[in-house]
Amino acid sequence: MYDSDNDEIEISFDSYYSKDEKVFIEKKCTLIIEGWTVAKGKLSKDSRWSSCIDRFIGVVDMILNIEESEDVNGSCLLMTVMTNDDRYVDWYFENAKIKFVVND
């Protein structure tokens, strides 16, 4: 789900891999990204970011990479995802709130 009016993305999955526990977990889960101040997107093979992330939003099949960093100016989230139309896209968010919800 992508809500461009309220700056929110929800990505739901039937399972996930726990990097900390190094185990595959078959529970439904949702990753929520919201409240960002800046959002950019690009095809992974491209070098230039677009300030219009809408063109790079799609149904996510797999999250390939997530990197989060912070400095005195705020936080930065960088994601690489594969969409169901076989695109590999990068998303960049500044000052986003991130929630990971595991459903019982």
Side-chain angles (χ1 to χ4, degrees):
M1 187 273 303
Y2 172 53
D3 182 346
S4 61
D5 293 331
N6 295 308
D7 294 339
E8 183 175 342
I9 295 174
E10 288 188 15
I11 306 168
S12 297
F13 296 96
D14 291 331
S15 58
Y16 64 98
Y17 179 80
S18 174
K19 191 174 180 180
D20 296 332
E21 298 172 28
K22 297 182 181 173
V23 62
F24 183 74
I25 300 173
E26 292 192 58
K27 286 189 176 180
K28 293 183 184 269
C29 59
T30 304
L31 177 66
I32 302 166
I33 305 164
E34 61 188 357
W36 56 79
T37 55
V38 172
K40 299 177 184 181
K42 69 179 184 75
L43 294 176
S44 294
K45 64 181 180 177
D46 294 342
S47 60
R48 298 191 65 202
W49 289 95
S50 170
S51 60
C52 182
I53 195 170
D54 297 16
R55 294 186 1 219
F56 303 96
I57 297 293
V59 176
V60 175
D61 272 345
M62 191 180 316
I63 298 174
L64 301 170
N65 190 44
I66 297 177
E67 295 177 28
E68 192 174 12
S69 61
E70 274 191 57
D71 63 22
V72 292
N73 298 319
S75 64
C76 169
L77 175 68
L78 180 61
M79 295 178 64
T80 301
V81 301
M82 182 180 78
T83 60
N84 71 341
D85 59 355
D86 291 325
R87 291 184 302 154
Y88 292 84
V89 296
D90 295 333
W91 296 338
Y92 170 88
F93 302 96
E94 290 181 6
N95 304 309
K97 294 173 189 72
I98 304 160
K99 297 178 201 170
F100 183 71
V101 179
V102 177
N103 306 45
D104 293 326

